[in-house]
Amino acid sequence: DTYKAEVARAAIEAGADIVNDVSGGVRDQAMYSTCADLSAPYVLSHTVGDSKEMNSLARYVPASFGTGVVQAVSTFWAERANLAQAAGVWRWNMVLDPGIGFAKNSDHNFEIVQRLDYLNRSPAAAGYRFSNPILFGGSRKRFVRGAFEHQPTREEQDIASAYISGVAVAQGARMVRVHDVAKARAAVTMAMAASRPVR
C-alpha cells in the first residue's frame, strides 16, 4: 500500500504479492514502469490531491446523473490505465479501485456503490474499455460510521462494513478489502446467492 515506486519494488522483492497504489500512478511517475519491470499485479486507485488536501477537493462536475463522481472515476481509470499499459503493465495485471473515501464525501461514496454496475460495464472512455476487476474498499470507512445516528461500536461498524461489501459485490465488484473477514465472507456469499439468476 504505497504511492512510491521504490517502496513498491522493495515490498515485492521482500515477498509482497500485489501493489496497491492509492494515487493511481499520479504521485510517482516511475510506478508504472516499476510494476511492469516486476510483473507485479497493480491496483490503480482513484483519488484527487494528497491526504492533506483531498477532502477539500471532493468536488465534481455534475453529470446527466448524480454528482459527476462516477464519470470522474471512469475517466481517471481510463486515462491512467492507458498510461500504465503504455509503460508495460499488463492489462490482465491491473485491478481498478474507485478510491472510497479518497477525495469523496459520503454522498459520493454511496453513489459509487450504487453505480458500480455502470463502472463495471461503462463504455469506452479515453480509448479504454474496462474489463479489469473492480476492488471495493469500504470497510470501516468514515461514510460507514456516518450512516449511524450514534457513534457505532466496532461490532456495528463491522456488520455495516460487511453489508456494504456485499452490496458492492452484488453491483459488480470482484474483490473487497475488509477487516472482519468472517462477517464479510458471510455477507458476500449471501449477496452472490441473492444476485444469481433464478431459473
Side-chain angles (χ1 to χ4, degrees), residues 8 11-20 38-43 93:
I12 293 295
E13 290 177 347
D17 295 312
I18 188 167
V19 174
N20 181 49
L38 296 168
S39 299
Y42 176 69
V43 178
N93 241 4

Side-chain angles (χ1 to χ4, degrees), residues 37-136:
D37 182 52
L38 296 168
S39 299
Y42 176 69
V43 178
L44 192 161
S45 300
H46 172 270
T47 191
V48 180
D50 58 29
S51 59
K52 295 179 181 178
E53 62 181 356
M54 65 182 180
N55 289 332
S56 66
L57 297 175
R59 299 185 302 272
Y60 300 93
V61 178
S64 56
F65 62 84
T67 63
V69 66
V70 171
Q71 292 84 343
V73 169
S74 177
T75 299
F76 178 91
W77 278 352
E79 292 174 351
R80 303 311 299 185
N82 276 329
L83 292 172
Q85 283 194 151
V89 177
W90 294 326
R91 184 187 183 108
W92 57 87
N93 241 4
M94 270 190 285
V95 175
L96 303 176
D97 182 343
I100 294 296
F102 287 81
K104 298 168 189 71
N105 60 32
S106 291
D107 287 344
H108 295 144
N109 293 323
F110 281 117
E111 183 178 343
I112 287 171
V113 174
Q114 294 166 8
R115 299 296 296 177
L116 278 173
D117 61 333
Y118 171 84
L119 285 170
N120 212 27
R121 57 177 172 75
S122 60
Y128 190 90
R129 187 171 294 279
F130 303 130
S131 60
N132 308 74
I134 293 176
L135 166 65
F136 179 82

